[in-house]
Amino acid sequence: MSPNLVALAYLIASVFFILALRGLSSPVTARKGNLFGMVGMVIAVLTTLTITDNWALIIVCIAVGGLIGTVVAKRVQMTAMPELVAFMHSLVGLAAVFIAIAAVNNPVSFGLPEVLPMGSKLELFLGTFIGAMTWSGSVIAFLKLSGRMGGSPVIFNGQHMLNLIISLVMIGFGLWFFFSETTNWTAFIAMAVIAFALGFLIIIPIGGADMPVVISMLNSYSGWAAAGIGFSLGNPMLIISGSLVGSSGAILSYIMCKAMNRPFLSVILGGFGSDGGSAAIGDKEQKTHRSGSSDDAAFLLGNADSVIIVPGYGLAVARAQHSVKELSEKLVEQGINVRFAIHPVAGRMPGHMNVLLAEAEIPYDQVLEMDEINSDFSNTDVVLVLGANDVVNPAAYVKGSLIYGMPILDVHKAQNVMVVKRSMGVGYAGLDNELFYMDKTMMVFGDAKNVVENMVKSL
């Protein structure tokens, strides 16, 4: 293909990527958005194959990677989707580092001068250190989300100062690489190694409750890493697609930070959510709670005029979304107004609960975001909380709490509250939940799917 046709094909692929993002902005058009993204990627890959002599090797690599991806995607459970996403981000960052190493080792094969110009060195520096940080940070996020590493923040004295010193040393090696007249492998390798270490250090002080924002932030990092490498290689497709991922991830991170009352700048620097606050609220005396059975819960639901269901991570673990749909249908048949309330960070990644409810084909008009439904809790007869904890914790209104100022679903304002949990254990933030001990709250212990199924039978 001629350079003009290649540029046109890449432009068309980019338009499809933009349409994909547009489609993914709503559950109603999400399937169409996925289709647009797939078409755009096919165009981009086929175009790349026409401008290389190594198309056979590329096809083999795509086949191997595609086979691995297919097997993993088919086996992964919905509850494990967040750590899978984090792991994918790590691979994007690592790919950017490998491409940068190849470009520094043999720039001619990438269409660059044998002696790298300063502009290319700067682009390779940016792509390498962002990619390295993305890889190591994503590995920590994967370990925390999968339970292979504790979700509590890893904090030590002088942590931020250490991160600052390491960052300055990394930039120093980057400047050495930048101003060297020949290829300075010592500076380049040292810069990359320090960037890998910095990624670990930035993510370890972030607690498990903040992991949804971390996933979004790392998504943004992986996009900017790809864009930086795209400039080095003169590949407009990498630049455009990387910029789309980077900017959309940054916007989503900002939205998530606002939903969790976290400063956006602190997220970018790492270690947000680790300063101030206490690990728990309230005193240590034994508290009493009211518990009931599935039959008791069904009785309350059946005699209500309005019901709001709040899904959480426990719903995902129990795979109870289809049972919940059956429950909501039974209630609607009895003339009860049923709606679902979604917190922006419910579950373990953005949109986790929306995906589960969409999988069960729950009507979109019954699913409302926090800002749309929060004012209705005070006028609601019964709220059914399924496995959610931190996002309904009134500790957000208690000064000194780790989640102080975080917007929550105001479940505690409803007339009656029923919470389905396996135990009285704390949530991902490690905080006790005063909602569980209120007079209006009834705890129903057990697996969410079994409890809901018993509710349906009682109804």
Side-chain angles (χ1 to χ4, degrees), residues 40 74 78 166 223 254 298 336 346 391 454:
K74 283 184 173 295
M78 277 302 301
I166 290 177
Y254 173 77
I336 300 171
V391 297
N454 289 334

PDB file of all heavy atoms in Angstrom, residues 40 74 78 166 223 254 298 336 346 391 454:
ATOM      1  N   GLY A  40     -12.331  -1.756  13.916  1.00  0.00           N
ATOM      2  CA  GLY A  40     -11.194  -0.846  13.853  1.00  0.00           C
ATOM      3  C   GLY A  40      -9.873  -1.571  14.037  1.00  0.00           C
ATOM      4  O   GLY A  40      -8.891  -1.294  13.331  1.00  0.00           O
ATOM      5  N   LYS A  74     -12.309 -17.292  28.433  1.00  0.00           N
ATOM      6  CA  LYS A  74     -13.395 -18.258  28.615  1.00  0.00           C
ATOM      7  C   LYS A  74     -13.395 -18.851  30.018  1.00  0.00           C
ATOM      8  O   LYS A  74     -14.443 -19.219  30.549  1.00  0.00           O
ATOM      9  CB  LYS A  74     -13.284 -19.377  27.567  1.00  0.00           C
ATOM     10  CG  LYS A  74     -13.759 -18.966  26.179  1.00  0.00           C
ATOM     11  CD  LYS A  74     -13.725 -20.139  25.227  1.00  0.00           C
ATOM     12  CE  LYS A  74     -14.359 -19.795  23.884  1.00  0.00           C
ATOM     13  NZ  LYS A  74     -15.797 -19.524  24.006  1.00  0.00           N
ATOM     14  N   MET A  78     -16.540 -13.839  36.425  1.00  0.00           N
ATOM     15  CA  MET A  78     -16.829 -12.414  36.478  1.00  0.00           C
ATOM     16  C   MET A  78     -16.191 -11.770  37.702  1.00  0.00           C
ATOM     17  O   MET A  78     -15.780 -10.608  37.671  1.00  0.00           O
ATOM     18  CB  MET A  78     -18.337 -12.176  36.500  1.00  0.00           C
ATOM     19  CG  MET A  78     -18.992 -12.197  35.129  1.00  0.00           C
ATOM     20  SD  MET A  78     -18.296 -10.984  33.992  1.00  0.00           S
ATOM     21  CE  MET A  78     -18.588  -9.466  34.874  1.00  0.00           C
ATOM     22  N   ILE A 166      13.859   8.686  44.145  1.00  0.00           N
ATOM     23  CA  ILE A 166      13.981   7.693  43.072  1.00  0.00           C
ATOM     24  C   ILE A 166      13.545   8.294  41.734  1.00  0.00           C
ATOM     25  O   ILE A 166      14.169   8.054  40.691  1.00  0.00           O
ATOM     26  CB  ILE A 166      13.146   6.440  43.407  1.00  0.00           C
ATOM     27  CG1 ILE A 166      13.785   5.681  44.571  1.00  0.00           C
ATOM     28  CG2 ILE A 166      13.030   5.523  42.196  1.00  0.00           C
ATOM     29  CD1 ILE A 166      13.002   4.472  45.017  1.00  0.00           C
ATOM     30  N   GLY A 223      -2.022   3.646  27.965  1.00  0.00           N
ATOM     31  CA  GLY A 223      -2.305   4.380  26.733  1.00  0.00           C
ATOM     32  C   GLY A 223      -1.225   5.389  26.397  1.00  0.00           C
ATOM     33  O   GLY A 223      -0.770   5.477  25.248  1.00  0.00           O
ATOM     34  N   TYR A 254     -10.543  10.593  36.909  1.00  0.00           N
ATOM     35  CA  TYR A 254     -11.028  11.817  37.552  1.00  0.00           C
ATOM     36  C   TYR A 254     -12.450  11.615  38.089  1.00  0.00           C
ATOM     37  O   TYR A 254     -12.763  12.009  39.219  1.00  0.00           O
ATOM     38  CB  TYR A 254     -11.002  12.972  36.552  1.00  0.00           C
ATOM     39  CG  TYR A 254     -11.641  14.238  37.085  1.00  0.00           C
ATOM     40  CD1 TYR A 254     -10.960  15.048  37.994  1.00  0.00           C
ATOM     41  CD2 TYR A 254     -12.926  14.616  36.692  1.00  0.00           C
ATOM     42  CE1 TYR A 254     -11.544  16.201  38.501  1.00  0.00           C
ATOM     43  CE2 TYR A 254     -13.519  15.758  37.201  1.00  0.00           C
ATOM     44  CZ  TYR A 254     -12.817  16.554  38.100  1.00  0.00           C
ATOM     45  OH  TYR A 254     -13.399  17.684  38.602  1.00  0.00           O
ATOM     46  N   ALA A 298     -38.516 -11.626  52.834  1.00  0.00           N
ATOM     47  CA  ALA A 298     -39.548 -11.691  51.794  1.00  0.00           C
ATOM     48  C   ALA A 298     -40.842 -11.036  52.265  1.00  0.00           C
ATOM     49  O   ALA A 298     -41.535 -10.363  51.484  1.00  0.00           O
ATOM     50  CB  ALA A 298     -39.800 -13.144  51.410  1.00  0.00           C
ATOM     51  N   ILE A 336     -45.044  -3.513  42.966  1.00  0.00           N
ATOM     52  CA  ILE A 336     -44.042  -2.813  43.764  1.00  0.00           C
ATOM     53  C   ILE A 336     -43.038  -2.136  42.836  1.00  0.00           C
ATOM     54  O   ILE A 336     -42.582  -2.727  41.855  1.00  0.00           O
ATOM     55  CB  ILE A 336     -43.320  -3.794  44.708  1.00  0.00           C
ATOM     56  CG1 ILE A 336     -44.337  -4.446  45.655  1.00  0.00           C
ATOM     57  CG2 ILE A 336     -42.225  -3.096  45.499  1.00  0.00           C
ATOM     58  CD1 ILE A 336     -43.756  -5.587  46.466  1.00  0.00           C
ATOM     59  N   ALA A 346     -18.721   0.448  43.104  1.00  0.00           N
ATOM     60  CA  ALA A 346     -19.208  -0.827  43.631  1.00  0.00           C
ATOM     61  C   ALA A 346     -18.503  -1.970  42.907  1.00  0.00           C
ATOM     62  O   ALA A 346     -18.287  -1.908  41.691  1.00  0.00           O
ATOM     63  CB  ALA A 346     -20.717  -0.933  43.463  1.00  0.00           C
ATOM     64  N   VAL A 391     -19.542   1.119  50.174  1.00  0.00           N
ATOM     65  CA  VAL A 391     -20.300   2.119  49.415  1.00  0.00           C
ATOM     66  C   VAL A 391     -21.613   2.498  50.086  1.00  0.00           C
ATOM     67  O   VAL A 391     -22.312   3.406  49.629  1.00  0.00           O
ATOM     68  CB  VAL A 391     -20.574   1.623  47.979  1.00  0.00           C
ATOM     69  CG1 VAL A 391     -19.269   1.428  47.224  1.00  0.00           C
ATOM     70  CG2 VAL A 391     -21.404   0.354  47.967  1.00  0.00           C
ATOM     71  N   ASN A 454     -34.363 -18.216  48.170  1.00  0.00           N
ATOM     72  CA  ASN A 454     -35.335 -18.507  49.224  1.00  0.00           C
ATOM     73  C   ASN A 454     -36.364 -17.387  49.357  1.00  0.00           C
ATOM     74  O   ASN A 454     -37.533 -17.644  49.662  1.00  0.00           O
ATOM     75  CB  ASN A 454     -34.597 -18.719  50.554  1.00  0.00           C
ATOM     76  CG  ASN A 454     -33.816 -20.018  50.595  1.00  0.00           C
ATOM     77  OD1 ASN A 454     -34.163 -20.976  49.904  1.00  0.00           O
ATOM     78  ND2 ASN A 454     -32.755 -20.053  51.388  1.00  0.00           N
TER      79      ASN A 454
END
